[in-house]
Each structure stands twice: as structure tokens, then as C-alpha cells.
Amino acid sequence: MADLFKFFRREKSDEGPHPRQEPRFKGAINIKTLEDIFAGCDDFETRNIKPGLIGEENIFVCWLDGVTNGGDISKDVLRPLTDLLRGGSSPTPQRLMDGAVYSAQAKKRETLDDIVTDITQGCCAVVFDGTAEAVSFEIRSPQSQRSISEPTIEKSLKGGKDSFTEVLRTDTALVRRRIANPSLKVKNTTLGRKSLTRAAIIYVDGVADPGVVAELERRLDAIDVDGVLATGELEAALADRPRSMFPQVIHTERPDRFARQLLNGRVGLLVDGIPIAFLVPVSIPEYLRVPQEDSQNYLISTALSLVRWVAVLLALALPAIYTAIAMYHQEMIPSKLLLSIIQSKQEVPFSTAMEVTGMLIAFELLQEAGLRLPNPIGDTVSIIGALIVGQSAVEARVISPIAVIVVATAGIAGYAQPSQDFGAALRLSRMLLLLAAIGGGLFGVAAGLCIFVWYLCTIDSYGRNYTAPWSGGRPDNLARTFLRRPPSEDKMREPDLNCPDRRKRS
């Protein structure tokens, strides 16, 4: 059994950080080499400028059309260069760095790999063909950016109405707006051999565990793929058990929740092109918390938290428990309810196991159909499947009403989970638990739940157990998971995060 679970665990490495990739492009910086690299790229534009309008020395302005803003290039780069030439001065890299060009960000480049990367990421490059040097200016096109909108997955009632976008610097600015302190550190990195996707590790210095920051950097450096364009590829690299069905990274599209978790001691990751932020380490209770808890009265938050935990139990075990009792332990059912169940099943040709299994599969099919189809059609399919087909099946004595009630209750409880990934893992676990109930009754359910809990206890997330704070050995951990204390009494950060600064309120 231990060998089986080694298959799901990330191999531990005693080596240092993964070595950085070798430069993709080598050689001196000149326009001929750049034109060869961008051969076949019709959006690659160049503008030749001759100092003094004579001689062999050439200055080339290079950019990718659409990625950069042509108007800003003309106003902030080309015009200052031509003004400098008309004044009788010859542009040099140092003069451009000293302020001859109006762009706010300027970087002097001496390697071909750096200048190609700058051009592909939205910079305009001024190449000095005779000196093999270049200066890049960041002039991104605003048309390639989506405006900040309201969150669509995590609804906001009393919190902020903005959400992350696909632009990395816009996302970091949203976090800076909420944590206006230089202790908020942003470390840039690049992911993907060919995509060269920009990413940023974000944490609060003095609050986050330095070991978690170092481990996250090591795992990002170890990513050796052509491109990181989807969340699944990134999660597999960040998780301790990439093959586990349970999520091991917190996802959020809300900057206020992201900033709150950073202040709690977690480490965040933002990736260019992905409008979702990632947070580590993680434990199960984090998937049952919602951002509204900080905006509500602590008693209301506690009551809603208990409702969500009850929903977890119903979504996971209700179909299995019903099947086990109906098949093997009818004596546990009250007499009136048993007579009602017997009467409703008299003309049903299928067994309880087939009923519940078929209904769960049909429920999943309806959910997939509703997600994949356009909104108006998806809503129609859901209504037809849930009401018309379900009611017709009951009236035709194909399934019993009690089976519909049990499966529908479990499905609604699954939708009550704030995390869709955690809810999907519960649905798959529900099917496995149902098979255990069919094979062994309540004894099979009990054994399945024990294996389920044991498996969760074997998962770690950056040195923290997946079941923390229950596994911390402290008597108040259980109450702290389900109950929310008044803000004036919640003064310390979670002990399992190993924060250097434990106190968050005086």
C-alpha cells in the first residue's frame, strides 16, 4: 500500500535550485540577426534611422505590431530620436538611458536573448547596429488588455468589485493597492521554454515562511515544458502530489481575498495570461471558507460555515448511506418511512444500487451539458433534464421518488462548496464510496470513510499537513476550524504556517 501511494507523491529532491535555461539566441545584436529570428513574422516592424542622414552607421527601431502601441512609439521614441538628430547630436545608448527618449521604463541590453525577449513581451527596441548594443522601452498596447471587471466565479457582496485580469502588471497593481507597504515583495520569473510566460511570486516579508518562498521558487525553476498556458500545467508543478484528485493550491480571482491570504502568511503566484491567482500552502478548511466571512458578523459566519461542512458530509456520504441501509440494513429505517419506500419501489424494475448509480451518472451528464452549452441553451437543458425527464421517470415507475430526493440533495450539497475543484473531488469520492456501500453495506461505508480520511492525512502541502489544523495536536484546533471568533479576539496567525510574525492584531 505504501508503494501505491508513492506513485502519487512528488519525489523529494536534495539538489539545489534547478539550473536556469541556456540562452536560446546567441550572437551579437544587429538588425540582420533580428530579421532572421523574426523571419515569417509579418507583425515584426523596423524603422531605419541614419544619424546625420549619411554614413554607414544605422539605428533601427524594432517592435511587434499589435503587441506595442504604434502611437506611443511615434511620440515617445521616434520623435525624440529625430529631434536629437536635427539638433546635431548623435544618439548613443547612454544618452537614451539618460533621458533622451520619453518612455518611463528603459533597459540597456547587450545580449541577443534579452532583446528578443523584450520585443516579444511588448517592448520597442532601439538597436545600434554598429556597436551591437540596444535599449528597450516598454510600450505595450492597451488594446491587448482586458479592462478590470467584476468577479464572475467568487461573487462579491460587501467586498471589492474588481477581479484579476490577464495582464501581470495590472494584477500586481491591484494587490499593491491593498497592501501599500514595501514589505510586499514581488519576484519576477519566466516559465516555459518557448512561451516565456512571465510570472511573479508575491509575499509579505516578515510574515510568510521563507522556506515556503524558497520551495516555491525551486518548483517553478524546475518546470521544463514548452509553455505554461493553462492552470492545470502549473498546478501539477506546484502540488506535492500532482496525481491526486484533491486540489493542493488555492485559486482566487479576487484581489481582496488574495491580499488577505498574503497577510495571513501564505505565498502567492500571479501568471501573465491567467486571470487567476494561486496561493500556497493549503489545507482542507481553506476550501470551505469564503471572502464574505470577513465582512459578516462572526455569528452569521459561524452558522454559514457549519452549513457548508454539513453540505460536505451530505455530498460525500448521503447516497452511499442510503444505498447501504436500503440494501442491507432495512431494520434501521422507521416503520412508516420503510412502508413508504416499499410502496414507491413496488413497481420499479431496478435495484436500489442501479437506481442511485444511474441517477448520479445522469446528474453528472446534466451538469456537463449545462457547462458546455451556451447559457440560454444550457439553462434549458438543465430545466428539461431536472424537471421534465426526472418527473416523467418517476411517473413511469422507472426510478423511485426517494432515490431522486437522495441524489438531488447530494447534488445540491455539492454545489454549496466554494471551491469547484474540491467539489469535483468530492463527487468522485462519492462514487467510490457508493461502490463500497454496494459491496459491504454500512461496514463498507465505514471502511471507505476511514480510507478516505487516512488518505487525506498522507497529503502534505509545502511542509504543512493537508488536514491542518486538525492534525496539530491542540484541543482548540477543531473549534477554530468550524467556529469564527470575534475580530477583536482573533489576534494570532495560524500556527501551522510558521510565520515569523505570529501576531496580526494588537
Side-chain angles (χ1 to χ4, degrees), residues 53-255:
L53 304 180
I54 58 174
E56 297 182 355
E57 184 180 357
N58 290 319
I59 297 176
F60 293 90
V61 182
C62 311
W63 68 93
L64 288 176
D65 188 23
V67 181
T68 55
N69 191 334
D72 290 341
I73 292 175
S74 301
K75 180 178 61 176
D76 297 340
V77 179
L78 292 177
R79 183 173 180 179
L81 281 176
T82 54
D83 289 345
L84 196 62
L85 294 173
R86 282 194 292 267
S89 301
S90 178
T92 63
Q94 190 57 44
R95 285 183 179 176
L96 298 187
M97 293 295 296
D98 290 340
V101 173
Y102 302 150
S103 180
Q105 297 185 16
K107 297 178 182 178
K108 187 176 181 181
R109 297 302 192 186
E110 298 179 352
T111 64
L112 189 63
D113 197 56
D114 289 338
I115 199 64
V116 171
T117 301
D118 288 346
I119 292 175
T120 56
Q121 292 184 349
C123 291
C124 170
V126 179
V127 180
F128 295 83
D129 215 29
T131 61
E133 293 180 331
V135 180
S136 63
F137 305 95
E138 185 173 346
I139 307 178
R140 288 188 175 87
S141 173
Q143 289 145 356
S144 61
Q145 303 179 10
R146 178 173 62 90
S147 61
I148 300 174
S149 59
E150 292 189 15
T152 57
I153 300 176
E154 299 173 284
K155 298 296 184 181
S156 177
L157 300 179
K158 294 183 180 179
K161 301 298 182 181
D162 52 354
S163 63
F164 287 119
T165 67
E166 290 81 5
V167 183
L168 179 62
R169 278 294 163 256
T170 302
D171 295 343
T172 57
L174 291 174
V175 180
R176 285 281 185 191
R177 184 184 301 175
R178 289 167 170 81
I179 306 179
N181 194 310
S183 61
L184 179 68
K185 305 301 181 183
V186 179
K187 292 186 176 181
N188 294 329
T189 186
T190 303
L191 307 175
R193 291 190 305 260
K194 297 187 181 299
S195 66
L196 297 177
T197 305
R198 298 184 305 158
I201 301 173
I202 304 181
Y203 63 95
V204 179
D205 191 23
V207 176
D209 184 3
V212 176
V213 178
E215 178 64 15
L216 180 58
E217 290 180 348
R218 187 192 69 80
R219 295 187 185 184
L220 291 177
D221 290 342
I223 297 178
D224 190 18
V225 296
D226 286 342
V228 179
L229 304 177
T231 58
E233 298 172 344
L234 195 57
E235 290 174 28
L238 299 181
D240 285 66
R241 287 194 177 176
R243 299 178 181 89
S244 175
M245 62 181 174
F246 287 93
Q248 298 165 57
V249 178
I250 301 176
H251 307 85
T252 181
E253 61 174 348
R254 293 182 52 173

Side-chain angles (χ1 to χ4, degrees), residues 169-420:
R169 278 294 163 256
T170 302
D171 295 343
T172 57
L174 291 174
V175 180
R176 285 281 185 191
R177 184 184 301 175
R178 289 167 170 81
I179 306 179
N181 194 310
S183 61
L184 179 68
K185 305 301 181 183
V186 179
K187 292 186 176 181
N188 294 329
T189 186
T190 303
L191 307 175
R193 291 190 305 260
K194 297 187 181 299
S195 66
L196 297 177
T197 305
R198 298 184 305 158
I201 301 173
I202 304 181
Y203 63 95
V204 179
D205 191 23
V207 176
D209 184 3
V212 176
V213 178
E215 178 64 15
L216 180 58
E217 290 180 348
R218 187 192 69 80
R219 295 187 185 184
L220 291 177
D221 290 342
I223 297 178
D224 190 18
V225 296
D226 286 342
V228 179
L229 304 177
T231 58
E233 298 172 344
L234 195 57
E235 290 174 28
L238 299 181
D240 285 66
R241 287 194 177 176
R243 299 178 181 89
S244 175
M245 62 181 174
F246 287 93
Q248 298 165 57
V249 178
I250 301 176
H251 307 85
T252 181
E253 61 174 348
R254 293 182 52 173
D256 54 349
R257 183 188 180 190
F258 185 77
R260 171 70 65 178
Q261 294 292 347
L262 293 181
L263 293 175
N264 287 339
R266 287 181 170 80
V267 182
L269 177 67
L270 294 172
V271 182
D272 197 24
I274 299 179
I276 295 176
F278 306 90
L279 289 157
V280 293
V282 65
S283 59
I284 293 177
E286 292 302 323
Y287 294 113
L288 274 297
R289 291 173 182 162
V290 294
Q292 285 82 1
E293 289 183 354
D294 297 324
S295 304
Q296 293 174 326
N297 180 272
Y298 74 100
L299 293 177
I300 297 176
S301 298
T302 298
L304 295 179
S305 176
L306 293 175
V307 169
R308 288 192 292 272
W309 281 104
V310 171
V312 169
L313 298 177
L314 293 176
L316 177 65
L318 181 60
I321 292 176
Y322 164 73
T323 303
I325 293 177
M327 292 181 62
Y328 298 99
H329 311 280
Q330 295 89 349
E331 68 278 2
M332 298 181 61
I333 305 177
S335 302
K336 292 185 178 180
L337 180 59
L338 180 60
L339 292 175
S340 177
I341 294 175
I342 293 174
Q343 184 178 2
S344 65
K345 286 184 62 64
Q346 282 181 347
E347 300 181 10
V348 175
F350 302 109
S351 64
T352 301
M354 293 187 63
E355 274 188 299
V356 177
T357 304
M359 286 291 296
L360 288 177
I361 295 175
F363 196 89
E364 296 297 327
L365 291 176
L366 284 174
Q367 177 174 298
E368 287 298 310
L371 290 175
R372 301 293 174 260
L373 292 173
N375 287 338
I377 302 177
D379 296 340
T380 303
V381 169
S382 300
I383 294 173
I384 293 175
L387 295 181
I388 300 178
V389 176
Q391 183 66 26
S392 300
V394 172
E395 292 179 354
R397 304 291 189 234
V398 176
I399 56 176
S400 61
I402 186 66
V404 176
I405 294 173
V406 169
V407 173
T409 303
I412 295 173
Y415 286 136
Q417 308 309 313
S419 172
Q420 293 185 359

